[in-house]
Amino acid sequence: EAGVVQSPRYKIIEKKQPVAFWCNPISGHNTLYWYLQNLGQGPELLIRYENEEAVDDSQLPKDRFSAERLKGVDSTLKIQPAELGDSAVYLCASSLRDTSYNEQFFGPGTRLTVL
Amino acid sequence: AQSVTQLDSQVPVFEEAPVELRCNYSSSVSVYLFWYVQYPNQGLQLLLKYLSGSTLVESINGFEAEFNKSQTSFHLRKPSVHISDTAEYFCAVRADAGFQKLVFGTGTRLLVSP
């Protein structure tokens, strides 16, 4: 079974440029999560999708960040414009559905460097 | 809200020695507890979890963790580590009450040397 796929794995951009990250969850997983992991920190939830609906985006900085999961499968996270402080690893995870005991499966992440 | 404290940012240990990675949590409601491992350039992988029942839970590669409600702890232990155990370990907590997000600690880097 294929795991959570993310691309690109690494991205280097200059500040004020836009950037997008793509995630393909495990087949059949209804719930998709985007996390932000700063250096030396644990992941922090940005947004959670149930199928195509964003059911929790309270931690997403909406002035510059946006996300979509149009057909309830793969998802894109966008930053426009990027700032120096956005340098971090962006993780995508998925689970069958969102319950407290369901395991979340994580992708390898996209490491973003903003110069 | 829940929070997790991992006091040790880095734990160096020699191969075949025992190790304990500490995790304390805070919550006003019942919780589920998890340990995730992150190998270099890889995503997080679930190592073990406590949902209910026996307070001692084990992983397939020799790690174990014990849920201690009175001390609000979920320390991870292994009696004899291998070089391949070198990784970042994250403790996480999630409330057993509707949807609550998974809250991670800051991680502990386990460095196993020969």
Side-chain angles (χ1 to χ4, degrees):
Chain A
E1 177 183 277
V4 176
V5 179
Q6 290 188 250
S7 69
R9 291 294 311 278
Y10 304 91
K11 188 74 175 179
I12 301 174
I13 62 172
E14 294 188 347
K15 63 180 181 181
K16 300 185 182 180
Q17 294 301 306
V19 65
F21 315 124
W22 177 79
C23 172
N24 194 30
I26 292 174
S27 177
H29 281 195
N30 295 324
T31 308
L32 183 146
Y33 313 79
W34 281 103
Y35 285 88
L36 166 68
Q37 186 177 16
N38 285 306
L39 185 64
Q41 301 294 318
E44 299 176 29
L45 182 68
L46 288 173
I47 188 169
R48 172 174 69 100
Y49 280 93
E50 291 291 344
N51 298 304
E52 66 274 10
E53 183 182 0
V55 295
D56 183 0
D57 63 355
S58 58
Q59 304 301 312
L60 191 71
K62 298 181 183 63
D63 57 337
R64 297 184 299 108
F65 286 67
S66 65
E68 60 183 16
R69 192 186 185 197
L70 293 176
K71 296 183 179 180
V73 181
D74 57 342
S75 175
T76 302
L77 177 68
K78 298 178 182 178
I79 307 175
Q80 183 171 10
E83 297 179 352
L84 294 177
D86 295 332
S87 294
V89 176
Y90 292 83
L91 296 168
C92 180
S94 69
S95 64
L96 278 172
R97 57 184 183 278
D98 189 78
T99 61
S100 293
Y101 51 83
N102 262 0
E103 179 178 352
Q104 293 184 23
F105 294 83
F106 285 80
T110 297
R111 182 177 297 277
L112 174 66
T113 301
V114 182
L115 303 176
Chain B
Q2 290 70 47
S3 66
V4 177
T5 301
Q6 293 182 252
L7 289 174
D8 304 307
S9 60
Q10 188 167 292
V11 174
V13 64
F14 288 109
E15 192 174 20
E16 299 184 3
V19 70
E20 178 180 82
L21 306 183
R22 296 179 293 168
C23 171
N24 288 89
Y25 70 92
S26 173
S27 177
S28 58
V29 299
S30 297
V31 296
Y32 297 134
L33 293 156
F34 307 83
W35 275 99
Y36 280 84
V37 58
Q38 187 174 33
Y39 298 103
N41 298 316
Q42 296 185 28
L44 281 77
Q45 302 171 33
L46 182 65
L47 187 60
L48 46 76
K49 60 185 176 184
Y50 170 77
L51 302 180
S52 64
S54 173
T55 57
L56 183 66
V57 290
E58 299 177 351
S59 72
I60 58 174
N61 57 351
F63 283 93
E64 64 178 30
E66 186 162 20
F67 170 55
N68 188 318
K69 188 174 181 179
S70 62
Q71 297 187 5
T72 61
S73 68
F74 191 55
H75 301 330
L76 182 68
R77 303 183 181 95
K78 189 170 186 180
S80 176
V81 295
H82 301 134
I83 296 287
S84 60
D85 292 325
T86 294
E88 188 91 20
Y89 292 80
F90 292 93
C91 182
V93 63
R94 194 169 189 185
D96 175 19
F99 170 73
Q100 297 289 332
K101 62 182 180 180
L102 192 59
V103 177
F104 287 88
T106 53
T108 297
R109 182 170 297 277
L110 177 63
L111 295 171
V112 183
S113 55

